[in-house]
Amino acid sequence: MSHKYPKTVLCVGKETVNTVLEEIEKINRFAHADIIELRADYIKEEELTEENLTKIKNASDKEILFTLRKQEEGGQRKISDSVREAFCFTAIKIGFEYIDIENSTPKDMLDRIMSEVRKAGRSTQLILSFHNFSETLESEISEKFNDIKSKNPDIIKIVTMANSEADSNFIIDFVRSNVSDSVRLALFCMGEWGTTNRIQCHNLGSALTYLAVASGTGTASGQLTYDEFVSNPDIQKTTICGLIGKPIRHSMSPLVHNAGYRDQNINCKYILIETDDIDFAIHYIKSNNIRGLSATMPLKIKAIKFLDDIDPLAEKIGSINTIVNTAGKLKGYNTDVVGAIRSIKDVMTLKNKKVAMIGAGGAARAIGVGLIEEGAEVIILNRTVEKAERLAGDLKCRFSGIDPAKLQDCDLIINTTSVGMYPRVDESILQEIPPEAVVMDIVYYPLETKLLKLAKQNGNETITGFGMFIYQAAEQYKLFTTNDPPLEVMKKVSLERLSELGK
Ligand SMILES: NC(=O)c1ccc[n+]([C@@H]2O[C@H](COP(=O)([O-])OP(=O)(O)OC[C@H]3O[C@@H](n4cnc5c(N)ncnc54)[C@H](OP(=O)(O)O)[C@@H]3O)[C@@H](O)[C@H]2O)c1
């Protein structure tokens, strides 16, 4: 996410690990919740262990902030500095995305924690915080801001008690003057002015907006509940897009879409909504006003009957991979076909070309419709011949089992099966490849599959599945945002991720 846009922080202050986990489960359903703050100082001493913290960290795909607040700054119980330091190291080791440390922490302890955070690279970010629970002093805020800024944390957090409208206004002006692309400042006030103050600070770009899960569960006065936040008409909310399906935890889509939003400075974020329950998915889209969704297995076909409208190409294919929500009306698209055809057309034309497509699954159906629309002459080869026959019947083309003789004279061979996909990287759907054909594999992890390696050795031109992936994502991006997608940025982040995965 762009640093410019504020993130919401849902506070969890519970005494036992089980109740913490119950609370996290609720937050996992909140589309507008960005970060979960674990107030570890609320957890009973005997339950505050590395094992339990790991369990909590693994309970959500959302970012988690670890806070072991000291008592003088609002913590629930007395905890020695050495224990707090040890737990901060544990939180960094486990991979909590943020830790919050008081600026009043002894300098040598703070230096050690900051050095550990730096060693962890970008995986943990440091929030350096100051709280004044009784008043708002203008000179103190300026002094603390400069002091904390000089220590170069990832986020500067200052929270004070506002006792008058003037206090609240001072804070709002301070946010307005000091938040910038390079300064991530979370500043707002507590107390009876807190609620309106927090809304205005949020809209001005204060980095973090703390919310209670429900009324009575807040960890500070003036905090809005999540429901109050999402229903407040004055709050500038982030537009949400995402991916539905199951399993989706390893999808690269959030990385690719969010990199685009960041690049174009759009207040939009892309989240994972892991479910195979179509009723829940549709309810979630409508109740959270999700703007756009990528849909994957097993929802690509199931979703169709819940849509208000469907793009003619997707209707022809019989499956969708994209849903766009315009004022509560859902329209389905299939961008796999655009992705595949565009990546082929980067290399060759399709009109009157002979194409052998191996596989007769969902991807083959989408690509097949695209190939026929482009005027190619298609033959479908599949392990299960009846499936090839069925698809060929729908596309009105030829079919066969996977018979190498049928590949002779082909201009293009496309593997649409999962053969060769990680972890079975040593498998190839073909062992012999005819010399003249262009060879495409829609599997993109690994980027160069065994089939493509063999084709290259054989002197054939090749097309990786990455082009299809990135072009289908770019097409979705355009449908969700109506902007031209920043293709190079989207390509770069995903290629970097694929190369990291390959190490
Ligand atoms: N690049 C992209 O953007 C993109 C987009 C979509 C999908 N994909 C990839 O495409 C692949 C297929 O996806 P899908 O959604 O079409 O899956 P699917 O509907 O489950 O179809 C799988 C196909 O693979 C065949 N198959 C599986 N194992 C086989 C084996 N050992 N030998 C021969 N054939 C085998 C199946 O043949 P049978 O009918 O005989 O079972 C079927 O034709 C996946 O690896 C997916 O990751 C890539």
Side-chain angles (χ1 to χ4, degrees):
M1 281 296 294
S2 167
H3 293 170
K4 198 172 154 190
Y5 298 109
K7 291 192 173 189
T8 57
V9 182
L10 271 287
C11 305
V12 178
K14 294 282 171 190
E15 279 197 355
T16 66
V17 172
N18 280 344
T19 46
V20 166
L21 293 174
E22 281 166 20
E23 210 70 347
I24 290 180
E25 208 176 309
K26 285 184 210 154
I27 300 170
N28 285 341
R29 301 290 189 210
F30 293 172
H32 285 278
D34 298 311
I35 303 173
I36 297 172
E37 182 186 41
L38 173 68
R39 281 292 301 268
D41 49 293
Y42 279 66
I43 299 178
K44 282 196 257 179
E45 199 176 343
E46 61 273 24
E47 293 209 14
L48 191 56
T49 62
E50 179 170 344
E51 191 190 349
N52 281 337
L53 289 178
T54 307
K55 213 185 268 178
I56 291 168
K57 175 70 190 78
N58 292 336
S60 183
D61 285 333
K62 295 188 188 287
E63 295 181 324
I64 306 198
L65 155 60
F66 177 84
T67 304
L68 190 55
R69 184 68 71 227
K70 70 185 203 183
Q71 206 170 31
E72 299 82 330
E73 296 215 24
Q76 288 301 291
R77 58 188 170 86
K78 188 115 197 100
I79 305 168
S80 71
D81 279 352
S82 59
V83 169
R84 288 198 312 117
E85 180 173 348
F87 272 111
C88 284
F89 273 62
T90 306
I92 297 165
K93 186 175 102 185
I94 293 171
F96 280 78
E97 282 80 5
Y98 301 88
I99 57 170
D100 178 324
I101 309 287
E102 298 79 4
N103 187 44
S104 61
T105 301
K107 184 176 176 324
D108 52 345
M109 173 172 157
L110 189 58
D111 286 347
R112 285 192 295 274
I113 295 173
M114 288 186 84
S115 141
E116 196 65 14
V117 165
R118 301 293 169 238
K119 265 197 257 163
R122 299 295 301 165
S123 55
T124 300
Q125 298 188 46
L126 184 81
I127 300 170
L128 209 47
S129 59
F130 168 75
H131 303 84
N132 184 334
F133 290 91
S134 55
E135 58 192 335
T136 294
L137 299 171
E138 297 185 8
S139 57
E140 184 182 58
I141 290 180
S142 300
E143 182 215 315
K144 295 297 173 194
F145 173 72
N146 289 324
D147 178 36
I148 298 177
K149 193 174 164 204
S150 71
K151 295 173 187 166
N152 200 21
D154 295 290
I155 298 180
I156 303 163
K157 180 184 172 198
I158 300 175
V159 188
T160 63
M161 176 63 74
N163 294 312
S164 66
E165 193 172 2
D167 286 349
S168 171
N169 287 341
F170 173 76
I171 286 170
I172 290 163
D173 284 343
F174 200 94
V175 171
R176 189 179 287 117
S177 323
N178 289 288
V179 165
S180 70
D181 272 351
S182 58
V183 178
R184 293 168 78 193
L185 167 65
L187 173 61
F188 51 86
C189 70
M190 296 176 279
E192 67 174 291
W193 300 99
T195 309
T196 46
N197 175 281
R198 284 167 196 245
I199 291 171
Q200 291 184 64
C201 290
H202 173 90
N203 288 344
L204 288 168
S206 173
L208 304 171
T209 300
Y210 288 73
L211 303 172
V213 176
S215 102
T217 68
T219 52
S221 63
Q223 235 171 39
L224 286 99
T225 66
Y226 178 79
D227 284 345
E228 285 164 350
F229 176 85
V230 290
S231 59
N232 190 306
D234 296 331
I235 287 184
Q236 286 159 19
K237 281 180 270 298
T238 304
T239 301
I240 296 176
C241 297
L243 170 65
I244 45 168
K246 193 173 182 176
I248 54 173
R249 278 199 172 206
H250 297 107
S251 166
M252 286 208 304
S253 296
L255 180 81
V256 174
H257 285 264
N258 285 326
Y261 305 149
R262 231 182 352 254
D263 182 67
Q264 298 194 327
N265 239 329
I266 307 173
N267 186 8
C268 192
K269 72 173 173 185
Y270 188 100
I271 62 172
L272 291 179
I273 305 155
E274 187 156 52
T275 182
D276 52 9
D277 176 345
I278 187 64
D279 291 313
F280 168 75
I282 297 294
H283 170 75
Y284 191 92
I285 300 165
K286 292 195 168 175
S287 60
N288 284 291
N289 196 19
I290 308 283
R291 161 68 184 158
L293 280 175
S294 315
T296 184
M297 300 311 287
L299 304 179
K300 286 176 131 178
I301 297 169
K302 285 191 204 166
I304 290 180
K305 68 172 189 235
F306 294 88
L307 302 174
D308 299 290
D309 194 5
I310 184 162
D311 177 68
L313 198 55
E315 191 166 24
K316 206 165 181 182
I317 296 163
S319 76
I320 54 112
N321 73 338
T322 309
I323 301 173
V324 177
N325 178 1
T326 308
K329 295 270 179 251
L330 306 184
K331 179 166 180 180
Y333 299 83
N334 193 316
T335 65
D336 278 341
V337 59
V338 181
I341 299 301
R342 188 169 166 194
S343 78
I344 298 169
K345 283 178 144 181
D346 279 347
V347 170
M348 62 189 283
T349 57
L350 280 165
K351 191 151 183 66
N352 299 326
K353 295 287 165 61
K354 290 188 178 156
V355 181
M357 186 167 69
I358 310 175
R365 179 169 287 273
I367 298 171
V369 167
L371 292 171
I372 302 278
E373 292 248 321
E374 291 294 326
E377 188 190 306
V378 178
I379 177 165
I380 296 162
L381 317 178
N382 195 44
R383 177 178 63 178
T384 311
V385 182
E386 301 76 56
K387 278 206 212 158
E389 184 175 10
R390 210 173 312 140
L391 181 55
D394 291 344
L395 298 181
K396 305 199 177 16
C397 66
R398 292 181 300 138
F399 70 94
S400 138
I402 305 176
D403 174 3
K406 297 284 191 297
L407 301 172
Q408 301 311 319
D409 303 329
C410 275
D411 300 295
L412 172 66
I413 299 169
I414 309 175
N415 173 44
T416 73
T417 75
S418 47
V419 177
M421 189 167 82
Y422 181 85
R424 291 158 54 199
V425 295
D426 290 327
E427 295 176 18
S428 168
I429 194 77
L430 298 176
Q431 308 314 320
E432 305 258 323
I433 298 159
E436 300 302 330
V438 175
V439 180
M440 174 175 179
D441 200 334
I442 69 162
V443 169
Y444 61 89
Y445 182 51
L447 209 49
E448 190 172 71
T449 58
K450 180 80 188 289
L451 172 70
L452 294 188
K453 279 193 184 126
L454 289 174
K456 259 192 182 168
Q457 281 162 13
N458 201 40
N460 299 66
E461 190 164 2
T462 58
I463 304 173
T464 71
F466 180 72
M468 174 175 172
F469 167 73
I470 205 70
Y471 287 142
Q472 68 74 28
E475 189 66 17
Q476 290 183 330
Y477 187 98
K478 194 169 184 170
L479 287 165
F480 297 161
T481 64
T482 69
N483 283 5
D484 279 335
L487 197 60
E488 290 312 313
V489 170
M490 296 168 85
K491 268 188 190 166
K492 184 168 176 283
V493 290
S494 39
L495 284 173
E496 278 167 4
R497 172 62 61 85
L498 284 170
S499 124
E500 272 164 32
L501 289 173
K503 278 178 191 157

